[in-house]
Structures are given as structure tokens and as C-alpha cells.
Amino acid sequence: GNSVTQMEGPVTLSEEAFLTINCTYTATGYPSLFWYVQYPGEGLQLLLKATKADDKGSNKGFEATYRKETTSFHLEKGSVQVSDSAVYFCALINFGNEKLTFGTGTRLTIIP
Amino acid sequence: GAGVSQSPSNKVTEKGKDVELRCDPISGHTALYWYRQRLGQGLEFLIYFQGNSAPDKSGLPSDRFSAERTGESVSTLTIQRTQQEDSAVYLCASSFQATGNTIYFGEGSWLTVV
């Protein structure tokens, strides 16, 4: 079946540091890949997505590239801000198995 | 409405009582999901509705859990004889269709069983 494995948290970084949150997946075929973010006290929101190999999703300075050869979709940001503090979830959805499968989430805290 | 709407936003109930959680998806969205998020944990799939197809109930944890959806509109998640381990945020989401399209989440219904 489908599964998503993401970096264990929590992650604490200083403002303006470089961020990587690793995500790898197991799925048959060609899933679509997503990063969702949950800010404190808010609902889950889509951050970015990629629907085919080598696609790069980007939003709010975050990027992730769909790497089929390594079955990965790592989230990166060059310079994090305090406002990026949140829980980040990697997820996939596969045609024919229409459930969105999530990783366990990575809590990110950015300190000034 | 503009987004996925869930009610109640918070519910405290006594162990053994039944609860109903409601979800209003974005108008026109054919796919609707229910997920559960226990404190400090990831999202756990519960059930998926797509149009008039039979729902995928493979994630429901026990027969105390059930969900219905009327056409392509409102869905209700019912938990019978609640237990303390049912305490969680119950998230509803919807999309036009599942694969590749953005899935939008509601803010969730926080359920506390005491």
C-alpha cells in the first residue's frame, strides 16, 4: 500500500537558517505529492504540490521537487522566518486509491 | 460557502454518549474525506466519499463509527458509545475529484470524551 515517511521532529532553527524536512514515499505508479502546513490554532492548508516526476512545487519561499528515482519530496526553504513555525505534513494521493496518505508530521519552531 | 465548514468546532461529551459531527464541503466538490488527528500524532484516514460511488470505509476504526453523505453535499460522522480514545480532532476535506486536485480541509471538530 501507500505510505509516507517524513523526518521526525521537532525541529528548532534560528531565523534565516536553511530548512530541509525530508520526505520519502512508497507507492505504485505515479502518485501526486503534497506538503500541507498546520499553523498554531489553524486548520490544515495546502502549501505546495507536484503531480509528476521532476516537477517542483513552490509557495511562500518553500520548494519541493518530485524525485521518482529516490521516491522523495523533500521540503526546503532558504531562509526561515518565525512565522514559518508550524507542523508540516508530507502526503500523497494515488490514482485508483483515492485516499490522501499523510506522514506523521514535523513540528518546526523558528526562534528569533 | 467559501471553504469547508465543520460543526461543532468543539464538543465535550461523556463516555458512552453518541456524537454527530457535521461537514459542509465546498460547493461542487464531489470528493469528501474524514480524517482523525489525535494529539501529537499524524492524520488517520477514516472514510472517503466520491460522487455516487460506494464510500471507502476502510479507515473506520470500529463499528461504532459511521458516516453518511447526502448526494454531493453535507456529510455526518457519527460516533456511538464514545470512548476516551476517541478524543481527537476530526477533520473533513473536499475536492472536485481526488487525484492531483487540491484537497481543502476544514478547521476540524475537537472532540473530548470525559
Side-chain angles (χ1 to χ4, degrees), chain B residues 1-113:
Chain B
V4 178
S5 178
Q6 293 187 244
S7 62
S9 55
N10 284 284
K11 175 74 175 178
V12 179
T13 190
E14 291 181 351
K15 179 180 171 181
K17 301 282 190 185
D18 297 351
V19 296
E20 282 191 354
L21 307 176
R22 176 187 168 105
C23 173
D24 278 285
I26 294 172
S27 179
H29 280 191
T30 57
L32 186 147
Y33 304 79
W34 284 98
Y35 283 83
R36 177 170 71 177
Q37 185 179 21
R38 290 188 169 125
L39 188 64
Q41 298 186 21
L43 279 79
E44 177 186 5
F45 167 78
L46 297 178
I47 189 168
Y48 161 66
F49 296 90
Q50 172 60 288
N52 294 319
S53 302
D56 178 351
K57 303 180 181 180
S58 60
L60 295 178
S62 76
D63 59 7
R64 295 188 295 106
F65 287 73
S66 63
E68 292 183 352
R69 186 180 187 193
T70 307
E72 293 183 354
S73 61
V74 171
S75 176
T76 303
L77 177 69
T78 301
I79 308 172
Q80 295 179 309
R81 305 180 303 282
T82 52
Q83 304 295 314
Q84 288 186 331
E85 62 263 28
D86 299 335
S87 297
V89 178
Y90 289 83
L91 292 165
C92 179
S94 71
S95 72
F96 278 112
Q97 62 182 44
T99 308
N101 285 337
T102 299
I103 297 173
Y104 296 88
F105 282 80
E107 294 194 2
S109 291
W110 290 78
L111 175 65
T112 304
V113 182

Side-chain angles (χ1 to χ4, degrees), chain A residues 4-5 10 12 15 22 32 35 37 41 53 60 69 81 92 94 101-102 104 108:
Chain A
V4 176
T5 302
T12 302
E15 203 166 22
N22 289 338
S32 295
W35 277 99
V37 59
K60 298 182 181 180
E69 63 276 14
Q81 305 301 312
L92 70 82
N94 215 351
T101 300
F102 284 89
T104 53
L108 174 67

